[in-house]
Amino acid sequence: MEKRKKIDVNQIDLEKMKEKTTETPGLLPYAHQTGSAIIRPEDKGKITGRAVAAMHSQTDMQMAQIYQQMQLLADQAKTIQKRVEVSERIYQSSMAFEPLINHHYFLYEKEDGSDFLSMVAPEEWGRKKRFSKFIAEVKLLADHTWEIIRGS
């Protein structure tokens, strides 16, 4: 049997040992035990580059969404503008009847350029058409505006 050396506690320099230990080993820039995970210094330029690329990707996506929303609003504005134009034409046209709410009617232009509203669809006229141009199929809404069902 081998004899083991006894450790003399009086010969241990505690101040020097204290320099080799820490109370917060997780904050060390290196592994503090032989079994610890390997810690390699990161390239700060790479980290910043990836973060900036991710930020640009995210903001580009958000800008695309805003652009789509703007496009939708512009399309809605054009639809409303077209409704106003057709509604004005209808109220300035000749009508031989009183239009009813939620009924479909047809706006036509005559040879002389004047407009008229009819209950007869373009397909129902037969050979004797009284119009030169079909403008729109419309429906009278409860607020007395006109919804365009189909246009020319």
Side-chain angles (χ1 to χ4, degrees):
M1 278 179 114
E2 248 182 83
K3 282 193 173 180
R4 291 189 177 188
K5 285 186 181 179
K6 288 188 178 181
I7 298 173
D8 187 5
V9 178
N10 294 328
Q11 290 183 355
I12 297 175
D13 186 358
L14 294 178
E15 286 302 313
K16 197 169 192 176
M17 291 292 282
K18 193 172 183 181
E19 289 176 7
K20 296 180 181 180
T21 63
T22 181
E23 292 189 19
T24 55
L27 298 178
L28 291 174
Y30 53 86
H32 69 284
Q33 293 178 354
T34 56
S36 296
I38 298 172
I39 300 173
R40 291 191 177 104
E42 284 289 332
D43 181 357
K44 300 247 187 227
K46 249 192 226 179
I47 293 170
T48 303
R50 282 192 296 245
V52 169
M55 182 263 313
H56 278 290
S57 174
Q58 183 66 24
T59 54
D60 287 349
M61 184 178 71
Q62 290 172 336
M63 289 298 284
Q65 288 174 339
I66 290 170
Y67 176 77
Q68 288 174 342
Q69 291 169 352
M70 288 172 31
Q71 190 64 47
L72 177 65
L73 290 172
D75 291 345
Q76 289 174 340
K78 285 178 188 174
T79 301
I80 290 170
Q81 186 177 17
K82 183 74 173 160
R83 263 181 70 188
V84 167
E85 290 170 6
V86 168
S87 294
E88 286 176 346
R89 277 184 87 165
I90 290 170
Y91 285 122
Q92 292 172 0
S93 70
S94 63
M95 288 184 236
F97 57 91
E98 181 180 347
L100 300 174
I101 293 170
N102 287 327
H103 283 72
H104 288 229
Y105 300 99
F106 304 90
L107 181 64
Y108 299 99
E109 185 178 302
K110 293 182 182 178
E111 294 287 339
D112 64 3
S114 64
D115 296 333
F116 73 97
L117 193 65
S118 173
M119 291 184 249
V120 181
E123 313 80 49
E124 298 171 340
W125 279 96
R127 285 188 229 158
K128 189 177 179 189
K129 316 191 277 189
R130 293 182 37 221
F131 63 92
S132 65
K133 182 179 174 188
F134 168 69
I135 307 295
E137 178 181 354
V138 293
K139 178 171 91 170
L140 182 61
L141 302 177
D143 63 354
H144 286 272
T145 60
W146 296 86
E147 178 185 356
I148 300 170
I149 306 301
R150 65 178 163 142
S152 59

